Amino acid sequence: ELQQYEHYMLKEIMEQPEAIKRTLKGRLTEDGVAIPELEGFLHSRNLQSFEKIMIVGSGTSYHSGIIGKKILDSLIEIPVEVAIASEFSCEHSTLTDKHLVIVVSQSGETADTLSALKEAKKYGTPTIAITNHWKSTLSRQADCTIYTYEGQELAVAATKAYTSQITGLVLLAIVLAKQMNGRGVEQIPVLLDALHSLSEDVEKCLIMTQDAIDQFAQITNDQEKIFIVGRGSDYVLALEGALKLQEVAYIHADAYAAGEMKHGTMALITPGIPVIALATQHHLREKTVNNIKEMKARDAYVVGITTIGDDSISSVVDEVMYIPEAHPLLMPILAAIPLQLLAYYAGCVRGYNVDRPRNLAKSLTVE
Ligand code: F6R
Protein backbone atom coordinates (compact mmCIF):
# COMPACT_ATOMS: atom_id res chain seq x y z
CA GLU A 1 0.00 0.00 0.00
CA LEU A 2 2.82 2.36 0.85
CA GLN A 3 4.55 1.57 -2.45
CA GLN A 4 7.91 3.31 -2.53
CA TYR A 5 7.17 5.60 0.40
CA GLU A 6 8.36 5.26 3.94
CA HIS A 7 5.30 6.94 5.42
CA TYR A 8 1.68 7.54 4.50
CA MET A 9 2.14 11.25 5.06
CA LEU A 10 4.74 11.53 2.27
CA LYS A 11 2.72 9.23 0.04
CA GLU A 12 -0.34 11.42 0.52
CA ILE A 13 1.62 14.62 -0.09
CA MET A 14 2.94 13.16 -3.33
CA GLU A 15 -0.53 11.97 -4.33
CA GLN A 16 -1.89 15.51 -4.51
CA PRO A 17 -1.69 15.94 -8.30
CA GLU A 18 -3.80 12.79 -8.62
CA ALA A 19 -6.17 13.74 -5.80
CA ILE A 20 -6.85 17.13 -7.39
CA LYS A 21 -7.51 15.46 -10.72
CA ARG A 22 -10.09 13.29 -9.00
CA THR A 23 -11.76 16.28 -7.34
CA LEU A 24 -12.01 17.99 -10.73
CA LYS A 25 -12.94 14.91 -12.72
CA GLY A 26 -16.06 15.37 -14.84
CA ARG A 27 -16.73 18.73 -13.20
CA LEU A 28 -14.97 21.08 -15.62
CA THR A 29 -17.05 21.80 -18.71
CA GLU A 30 -16.34 23.93 -21.80
CA ASP A 31 -17.65 27.10 -20.24
CA GLY A 32 -18.00 26.40 -16.57
CA VAL A 33 -18.37 23.89 -13.81
CA ALA A 34 -20.92 21.11 -13.46
CA ILE A 35 -21.65 19.61 -10.07
CA PRO A 36 -24.72 17.41 -10.59
CA GLU A 37 -24.99 16.69 -6.85
CA LEU A 38 -25.73 20.40 -6.32
CA GLU A 39 -28.33 20.89 -9.01
CA GLY A 40 -31.45 19.77 -7.15
CA PHE A 41 -30.44 21.84 -4.14
CA LEU A 42 -29.71 24.98 -6.16
CA HIS A 43 -32.91 24.74 -8.18
CA SER A 44 -35.03 24.49 -5.08
CA ARG A 45 -33.59 27.71 -3.60
CA ASN A 46 -33.64 31.25 -4.71
CA LEU A 47 -29.93 31.99 -4.60
CA GLN A 48 -30.53 35.70 -5.09
CA SER A 49 -32.25 35.79 -1.72
CA PHE A 50 -29.23 34.49 0.21
CA GLU A 51 -27.92 37.17 2.54
CA LYS A 52 -24.80 35.59 3.93
CA ILE A 53 -22.59 32.51 3.62
CA MET A 54 -20.91 30.86 6.59
CA ILE A 55 -18.12 28.32 6.19
CA VAL A 56 -17.40 26.01 9.10
CA GLY A 57 -14.67 23.44 9.79
CA SER A 58 -12.07 22.28 12.30
CA GLY A 59 -8.26 22.36 12.12
CA THR A 60 -7.04 22.07 8.56
CA SER A 61 -10.62 22.08 7.27
CA TYR A 62 -11.13 25.42 9.01
CA HIS A 63 -8.03 26.73 7.22
CA SER A 64 -9.33 25.60 3.84
CA GLY A 65 -12.58 27.34 4.80
CA ILE A 66 -10.73 30.64 5.26
CA ILE A 67 -9.22 30.24 1.79
CA GLY A 68 -12.74 29.41 0.57
CA LYS A 69 -13.95 32.73 1.98
CA LYS A 70 -11.24 34.60 0.06
CA ILE A 71 -12.24 32.84 -3.15
CA LEU A 72 -15.94 33.56 -2.62
CA ASP A 73 -15.19 37.19 -1.69
CA SER A 74 -13.59 37.75 -5.05
CA LEU A 75 -16.44 36.15 -7.01
CA ILE A 76 -19.70 37.00 -5.25
CA GLU A 77 -21.28 39.99 -3.55
CA ILE A 78 -22.77 38.72 -0.32
CA PRO A 79 -20.71 38.60 2.87
CA VAL A 80 -18.91 35.37 3.73
CA GLU A 81 -17.83 34.46 7.26
CA VAL A 82 -15.73 31.57 8.49
CA ALA A 83 -16.05 29.90 11.88
CA ILE A 84 -14.15 27.31 13.84
CA ALA A 85 -16.68 24.51 14.26
CA SER A 86 -16.22 24.21 18.03
CA GLU A 87 -16.92 27.94 18.39
CA PHE A 88 -19.83 27.99 15.99
CA SER A 89 -22.65 27.22 18.37
CA CYS A 90 -21.28 29.77 20.86
CA GLU A 91 -21.39 32.56 18.32
CA HIS A 92 -24.04 32.07 15.70
CA SER A 93 -27.50 32.03 17.13
CA THR A 94 -28.60 34.58 14.50
CA LEU A 95 -28.76 32.13 11.58
CA THR A 96 -31.82 32.20 9.34
CA ASP A 97 -33.05 30.38 6.25
CA LYS A 98 -31.54 33.23 4.19
CA HIS A 99 -28.05 32.09 5.14
CA LEU A 100 -26.08 29.30 3.53
CA VAL A 101 -23.78 27.17 5.65
CA ILE A 102 -20.90 25.31 3.98
CA VAL A 103 -19.45 22.62 6.22
CA VAL A 104 -15.97 21.29 5.40
CA SER A 105 -14.65 18.01 6.81
CA GLN A 106 -12.37 15.37 5.35
CA SER A 107 -13.76 12.54 7.49
CA GLY A 108 -17.31 13.83 7.66
CA GLU A 109 -17.34 12.50 11.25
CA THR A 110 -15.73 15.28 13.31
CA ALA A 111 -18.00 15.84 16.33
CA ASP A 112 -17.40 19.61 16.52
CA THR A 113 -18.23 19.99 12.85
CA LEU A 114 -21.32 17.79 13.02
CA SER A 115 -22.56 19.79 15.95
CA ALA A 116 -22.15 23.02 13.95
CA LEU A 117 -24.20 21.44 11.18
CA LYS A 118 -26.89 20.52 13.70
CA GLU A 119 -26.91 24.11 14.94
CA ALA A 120 -27.42 25.41 11.39
CA LYS A 121 -30.25 22.97 10.78
CA LYS A 122 -31.97 24.14 13.95
CA TYR A 123 -32.53 27.50 12.24
CA GLY A 124 -33.62 25.99 8.94
CA THR A 125 -30.41 27.22 7.31
CA PRO A 126 -29.56 25.44 4.05
CA THR A 127 -26.34 23.40 4.26
CA ILE A 128 -23.77 22.10 1.79
CA ALA A 129 -21.12 19.59 2.89
CA ILE A 130 -17.67 19.26 1.38
CA THR A 131 -16.22 15.93 2.43
CA ASN A 132 -14.13 13.01 1.28
CA HIS A 133 -16.10 10.24 2.91
CA TRP A 134 -18.90 8.65 0.99
CA LYS A 135 -22.09 8.52 3.03
CA SER A 136 -20.39 9.95 6.10
CA THR A 137 -22.60 11.32 8.87
CA LEU A 138 -21.95 14.82 7.53
CA SER A 139 -23.03 13.98 4.02
CA ARG A 140 -26.12 12.17 5.26
CA GLN A 141 -27.18 15.14 7.37
CA ALA A 142 -26.35 18.06 5.07
CA ASP A 143 -28.81 19.12 2.34
CA CYS A 144 -26.29 18.15 -0.31
CA THR A 145 -22.66 17.09 -0.59
CA ILE A 146 -19.73 17.86 -2.83
CA TYR A 147 -17.37 14.91 -2.52
CA THR A 148 -13.66 15.63 -2.92
CA TYR A 149 -12.83 12.05 -4.01
CA GLU A 150 -9.22 12.52 -2.94
CA GLY A 151 -8.88 8.87 -1.93
CA GLN A 152 -8.15 7.46 1.50
CA GLU A 153 -6.02 9.62 3.81
CA LEU A 154 -4.39 7.45 6.47
CA ALA A 155 -1.77 9.73 8.02
CA VAL A 156 -3.23 11.72 10.91
CA ALA A 157 -2.05 15.02 9.42
CA ALA A 158 -4.35 16.28 6.69
CA THR A 159 -2.42 17.05 3.49
CA LYS A 160 -4.23 16.08 0.33
CA ALA A 161 -7.49 16.80 2.16
CA TYR A 162 -6.52 20.47 2.35
CA THR A 163 -5.71 20.93 -1.32
CA SER A 164 -8.73 18.89 -2.47
CA GLN A 165 -11.06 20.85 -0.21
CA ILE A 166 -9.82 24.14 -1.63
CA THR A 167 -10.29 22.73 -5.13
CA GLY A 168 -13.86 21.77 -4.17
CA LEU A 169 -14.47 25.24 -2.74
CA VAL A 170 -13.24 26.85 -5.98
CA LEU A 171 -15.71 24.71 -7.95
CA LEU A 172 -18.54 25.62 -5.60
CA ALA A 173 -17.60 29.32 -5.74
CA ILE A 174 -17.73 29.27 -9.54
CA VAL A 175 -21.18 27.63 -9.54
CA LEU A 176 -22.52 30.12 -6.98
CA ALA A 177 -20.97 33.12 -8.77
CA LYS A 178 -22.58 32.10 -12.07
CA GLN A 179 -25.99 31.58 -10.53
CA MET A 180 -25.85 34.75 -8.46
CA ASN A 181 -24.30 36.69 -11.30
CA GLY A 182 -21.58 37.73 -8.88
CA ARG A 183 -19.19 40.60 -9.35
CA GLY A 184 -16.34 38.31 -10.32
CA VAL A 185 -18.00 36.34 -13.13
CA GLU A 186 -15.69 37.87 -15.72
CA GLN A 187 -12.74 36.23 -13.94
CA ILE A 188 -14.22 32.76 -14.35
CA PRO A 189 -12.80 31.85 -17.81
CA VAL A 190 -9.24 32.57 -16.64
CA LEU A 191 -9.85 30.68 -13.41
CA LEU A 192 -11.20 27.70 -15.38
CA ASP A 193 -8.06 27.65 -17.53
CA ALA A 194 -5.97 27.69 -14.39
CA LEU A 195 -7.97 24.78 -12.94
CA HIS A 196 -7.18 22.74 -16.04
CA SER A 197 -3.46 22.99 -15.34
CA LEU A 198 -3.70 22.86 -11.53
CA SER A 199 -2.74 19.21 -11.13
CA GLU A 200 0.30 19.72 -13.35
CA ASP A 201 1.30 22.83 -11.37
CA VAL A 202 1.09 20.87 -8.13
CA GLU A 203 3.28 18.17 -9.66
CA LYS A 204 5.85 20.82 -10.66
CA CYS A 205 5.69 22.34 -7.20
CA LEU A 206 6.50 19.00 -5.57
CA ILE A 207 9.50 18.56 -7.85
CA MET A 208 10.73 22.12 -7.32
CA THR A 209 10.56 22.11 -3.52
CA GLN A 210 11.09 18.58 -2.21
CA ASP A 211 14.91 18.47 -1.97
CA ALA A 212 15.37 22.06 -0.85
CA ILE A 213 12.80 21.61 1.91
CA ASP A 214 14.36 18.33 2.98
CA GLN A 215 17.68 20.16 3.39
CA PHE A 216 16.18 23.08 5.25
CA ALA A 217 14.36 20.66 7.57
CA GLN A 218 17.73 19.32 8.73
CA ILE A 219 18.58 22.69 10.29
CA THR A 220 15.32 22.72 12.21
CA ASN A 221 16.54 19.75 14.24
CA ASP A 222 17.79 21.89 17.11
CA GLN A 223 15.13 24.59 16.85
CA GLU A 224 12.22 24.78 19.24
CA LYS A 225 10.54 27.71 17.54
CA ILE A 226 9.70 28.71 14.00
CA PHE A 227 7.74 31.69 12.76
CA ILE A 228 5.75 31.57 9.55
CA VAL A 229 4.54 34.88 8.18
CA GLY A 230 2.61 36.10 5.17
CA ARG A 231 -0.10 38.50 4.03
CA GLY A 232 -3.57 37.77 2.70
CA SER A 233 -3.97 34.13 1.73
CA ASP A 234 -0.28 33.62 2.59
CA TYR A 235 -1.21 34.38 6.19
CA VAL A 236 -3.78 31.58 6.07
CA LEU A 237 -1.09 29.33 4.63
CA ALA A 238 1.12 30.32 7.54
CA LEU A 239 -1.62 29.14 9.93
CA GLU A 240 -1.85 25.82 8.11
CA GLY A 241 1.94 25.39 7.92
CA ALA A 242 2.29 26.13 11.63
CA LEU A 243 -0.43 23.61 12.50
CA LYS A 244 1.39 20.92 10.48
CA LEU A 245 4.74 21.67 12.17
CA GLN A 246 3.18 21.57 15.64
CA GLU A 247 1.34 18.37 14.91
CA VAL A 248 4.01 16.32 13.16
CA ALA A 249 7.37 17.80 14.28
CA TYR A 250 6.29 19.08 17.74
CA ILE A 251 7.91 22.43 16.98
CA HIS A 252 6.38 25.49 18.52
CA ALA A 253 5.51 27.08 15.19
CA ASP A 254 3.66 30.38 15.20
CA ALA A 255 1.87 31.99 12.29
CA TYR A 256 1.62 35.77 11.97
CA ALA A 257 0.24 38.21 9.51
CA ALA A 258 3.53 39.70 8.24
CA GLY A 259 2.43 43.26 8.98
CA GLU A 260 1.45 42.33 12.54
CA MET A 261 4.94 41.33 13.70
CA LYS A 262 5.90 44.93 14.48
CA HIS A 263 2.90 45.24 16.80
CA GLY A 264 4.42 42.93 19.38
CA THR A 265 5.82 39.64 18.20
CA MET A 266 8.96 41.24 16.76
CA ALA A 267 10.22 41.25 20.36
CA LEU A 268 10.59 37.47 20.10
CA ILE A 269 12.86 37.63 17.06
CA THR A 270 16.37 36.73 18.20
CA PRO A 271 19.48 36.06 16.07
CA GLY A 272 19.25 32.86 14.06
CA ILE A 273 15.57 32.14 14.72
CA PRO A 274 14.06 30.54 11.60
CA VAL A 275 11.32 32.50 9.86
CA ILE A 276 9.49 31.30 6.78
CA ALA A 277 8.19 34.26 4.82
CA LEU A 278 5.53 33.51 2.22
CA ALA A 279 5.27 35.98 -0.64
CA THR A 280 3.24 34.21 -3.29
CA GLN A 281 0.74 37.04 -3.91
CA HIS A 282 2.06 39.69 -6.31
CA HIS A 283 -0.01 42.58 -5.06
CA LEU A 284 1.16 42.12 -1.46
CA ARG A 285 4.81 41.42 -2.12
CA GLU A 286 6.26 44.87 -1.67
CA LYS A 287 4.86 45.21 1.82
CA THR A 288 5.95 41.70 2.75
CA VAL A 289 9.50 42.54 1.59
CA ASN A 290 9.49 45.48 4.03
CA ASN A 291 8.40 43.17 6.84
CA ILE A 292 11.13 40.69 5.94
CA LYS A 293 13.72 43.49 6.13
CA GLU A 294 12.55 44.30 9.66
CA MET A 295 13.10 40.70 10.72
CA LYS A 296 16.47 40.52 8.95
CA ALA A 297 17.53 43.64 10.83
CA ARG A 298 17.09 41.52 14.00
CA ASP A 299 19.18 38.73 12.43
CA ALA A 300 16.39 36.19 11.93
CA TYR A 301 17.22 33.39 9.48
CA VAL A 302 14.61 34.01 6.79
CA VAL A 303 13.56 31.49 4.17
CA GLY A 304 11.40 33.15 1.54
CA ILE A 305 8.87 31.28 -0.56
CA THR A 306 7.83 33.05 -3.72
CA THR A 307 6.82 32.36 -7.30
CA ILE A 308 9.30 31.55 -10.00
CA GLY A 309 10.50 34.64 -11.85
CA ASP A 310 10.08 36.94 -8.85
CA ASP A 311 13.37 38.53 -7.84
CA SER A 312 12.05 40.98 -5.28
CA ILE A 313 12.75 38.88 -2.20
CA SER A 314 15.90 36.93 -3.10
CA SER A 315 18.19 39.79 -2.03
CA VAL A 316 16.53 40.28 1.36
CA VAL A 317 16.30 36.68 2.58
CA ASP A 318 18.88 34.05 3.54
CA GLU A 319 17.38 31.40 1.31
CA VAL A 320 14.68 31.52 -1.31
CA MET A 321 12.49 28.73 -2.60
CA TYR A 322 10.47 29.03 -5.75
CA ILE A 323 7.10 27.55 -6.55
CA PRO A 324 5.21 27.72 -9.86
CA GLU A 325 3.07 30.72 -10.65
CA ALA A 326 -0.67 30.04 -10.95
CA HIS A 327 -3.91 32.01 -10.72
CA PRO A 328 -3.73 34.05 -7.46
CA LEU A 329 -6.82 32.27 -6.11
CA LEU A 330 -5.11 28.91 -6.62
CA MET A 331 -1.74 29.88 -5.12
CA PRO A 332 -2.80 28.65 -1.63
CA ILE A 333 -2.91 25.13 -3.09
CA LEU A 334 0.65 25.37 -4.39
CA ALA A 335 2.06 27.21 -1.40
CA ALA A 336 0.79 24.46 0.92
CA ILE A 337 3.15 21.92 -0.65
CA PRO A 338 6.51 23.18 0.73
CA LEU A 339 4.94 23.65 4.17
CA GLN A 340 3.56 20.11 4.24
CA LEU A 341 6.96 18.78 3.13
CA LEU A 342 8.69 20.82 5.82
CA ALA A 343 6.50 19.37 8.57
CA TYR A 344 7.10 15.88 7.19
CA TYR A 345 10.89 16.14 6.93
CA ALA A 346 11.22 18.02 10.23
CA GLY A 347 9.20 15.27 11.95
CA CYS A 348 11.44 12.61 10.38
CA VAL A 349 14.70 14.39 11.31
CA ARG A 350 13.52 14.53 14.91
CA GLY A 351 12.68 10.84 14.84
CA TYR A 352 8.94 11.13 15.43
CA ASN A 353 6.20 8.90 14.15
CA VAL A 354 4.94 11.29 11.49
CA ASP A 355 1.94 9.17 10.57
CA ARG A 356 0.73 8.84 14.15
CA PRO A 357 1.63 11.97 16.14
CA ARG A 358 1.28 11.80 19.91
CA ASN A 359 -2.02 12.83 21.54
CA LEU A 360 -3.93 13.01 18.25
CA ALA A 361 -6.49 10.92 16.38
CA LYS A 362 -7.55 11.00 12.76
CA SER A 363 -11.22 11.27 13.45
CA LEU A 364 -12.35 13.23 16.50
CA THR A 365 -15.70 11.97 17.56
CA VAL A 366 -15.95 13.87 20.86
CA GLU A 367 -16.48 17.62 21.27
C1 F6R B 1 -4.50 18.61 10.89
C2 F6R B 1 -5.68 17.73 10.95
C3 F6R B 1 -6.86 18.16 11.76
C4 F6R B 1 -8.16 17.95 10.97
C5 F6R B 1 -9.37 18.24 11.84
C6 F6R B 1 -10.65 18.15 11.08
O1 F6R B 1 -3.52 18.08 10.08
O2 F6R B 1 -5.68 16.68 10.37
O3 F6R B 1 -6.74 19.50 12.17
O4 F6R B 1 -8.12 18.78 9.84
O5 F6R B 1 -9.39 17.37 12.92
O6 F6R B 1 -10.86 16.89 10.52
P1 F6R B 1 -11.95 16.66 9.42
O7 F6R B 1 -11.54 17.41 8.19
O8 F6R B 1 -12.00 15.19 9.20
O9 F6R B 1 -13.24 17.21 9.97
Side-chain angles (χ1 to χ4, degrees):
E1 254 252 25
L2 268 170
Q3 293 147 6
Q4 73 267 43
Y5 299 106
E6 216 173 312
H7 300 102
Y8 284 107
M9 185 176 174
L10 184 61
K11 174 174 180 275
E12 288 156 8
I13 291 173
M14 301 309 280
E15 272 171 359
Q16 288 177 108
E18 199 47 46
I20 285 168
K21 258 191 211 160
R22 283 202 295 264
T23 308
L24 293 173
K25 194 170 172 208
R27 288 167 167 172
L28 293 180
T29 60
E30 282 279 291
D31 58 343
V33 165
I35 310 180
E37 307 92 291
L38 269 184
E39 270 161 27
F41 171 83
L42 294 177
H43 283 143
S44 63
R45 323 263 163 183
N46 175 10
L47 285 194
Q48 310 294 340
S49 71
F50 280 152
E51 289 166 0
K52 186 162 82 181
I53 295 179
M54 308 277 317
I55 311 179
V56 192
S58 307
T60 292
S61 298
Y62 165 64
H63 294 156
S64 49
I66 314 177
I67 296 293
K69 170 194 158 52
K70 292 189 182 291
I71 296 164
L72 282 162
D73 280 346
S74 70
L75 295 178
I76 64 171
E77 249 88 358
I78 59 170
V80 182
E81 286 178 18
V82 195
I84 294 174
S86 60
E87 291 289 311
F88 188 72
S89 51
C90 319
E91 288 169 3
H92 294 98
S93 50
T94 54
L95 287 170
T96 73
D97 59 358
K98 296 269 185 295
H99 297 156
L100 169 66
V101 169
I102 301 169
V103 186
V104 187
S105 169
Q106 187 282 132
S107 61
E109 302 296 343
T110 302
D112 289 323
T113 309
L114 291 173
S115 125
L117 176 80
K118 199 164 154 198
E119 182 74 13
K121 288 175 80 90
K122 204 162 85 190
Y123 297 94
T125 309
T127 54
I128 299 177
I130 298 187
T131 184
N132 185 38
H133 275 248
W134 189 250
K135 299 203 169 139
S136 53
T137 310
L138 179 66
S139 62
R140 279 185 276 117
Q141 293 180 354
D143 293 328
C144 69
T145 301
I146 301 175
Y147 285 103
T148 51
Y149 299 118
E150 78 226 24
Q152 218 179 14
E153 193 178 65
L154 292 171
V156 165
T159 53
K160 60 179 178 168
Y162 177 76
T163 48
S164 302
Q165 285 166 351
I166 297 176
T167 307
L169 284 159
V170 174
L171 294 174
L172 174 60
I174 292 176
V175 170
L176 293 177
K178 282 213 159 182
Q179 302 230 359
M180 292 171 156
N181 203 15
R183 63 170 150 223
V185 278
E186 75 290 346
Q187 295 182 51
I188 292 176
V190 181
L191 187 53
L192 285 172
D193 277 349
L195 281 172
H196 279 285
S197 54
L198 180 60
S199 160
E200 223 173 280
D201 292 336
V202 170
E203 181 90 59
K204 277 189 216 147
C205 193
L206 285 163
I207 295 168
M208 284 168 78
T209 54
Q210 190 176 7
D211 292 343
I213 290 285
D214 187 358
Q215 262 180 18
F216 172 63
Q218 311 302 317
I219 71 155
T220 64
N221 198 9
D222 53 358
Q223 297 290 340
E224 287 316 313
K225 270 201 193 99
I226 286 190
F227 290 102
I228 313 184
V229 303
R231 281 174 180 261
S233 61
D234 281 338
Y235 169 49
V236 187
L237 256 304
L239 292 170
E240 173 58 9
L243 175 62
K244 287 294 95 105
L245 275 168
Q246 293 160 4
E247 185 179 15
V248 176
Y250 314 156
I251 297 178
H252 192 133
D254 268 336
Y256 285 95
E260 232 355 59
M261 294 293 289
K262 61 180 172 298
H263 297 292
T265 313
M266 198 63 92
L268 289 178
I269 298 290
T270 46
I273 195 159
V275 175
I276 299 172
L278 300 162
T280 73
Q281 301 282 321
H282 279 296
H283 65 295
L284 302 172
R285 214 166 257 156
E286 211 181 301
K287 286 185 177 167
T288 305
V289 165
N290 289 337
N291 303 134
I292 295 174
K293 284 182 184 159
E294 290 158 5
M295 289 181 279
K296 275 309 306 167
R298 273 108 194 144
D299 282 332
Y301 185 84
V302 183
V303 178
I305 298 182
T306 187
T307 52
I308 193 150
D310 165 54
D311 53 12
S312 64
I313 72 163
S314 57
S315 59
V316 293
V317 296
D318 296 281
E319 265 183 69
V320 60
M321 291 184 199
Y322 293 101
I323 62 174
E325 172 92 62
H327 190 288
L329 294 179
L330 301 182
M331 284 313 296
I333 294 179
L334 301 184
I337 308 279
L339 299 172
Q340 296 169 344
L341 286 167
L342 176 60
Y344 171 74
Y345 285 116
C348 289
V349 169
R350 293 165 165 247
Y352 301 134
N353 182 347
V354 288
D355 282 341
R356 295 273 167 277
R358 66 188 180 205
N359 313 342
L360 298 169
K362 183 71 182 161
S363 190
L364 291 155
T365 49
V366 288
E367 280 183 52

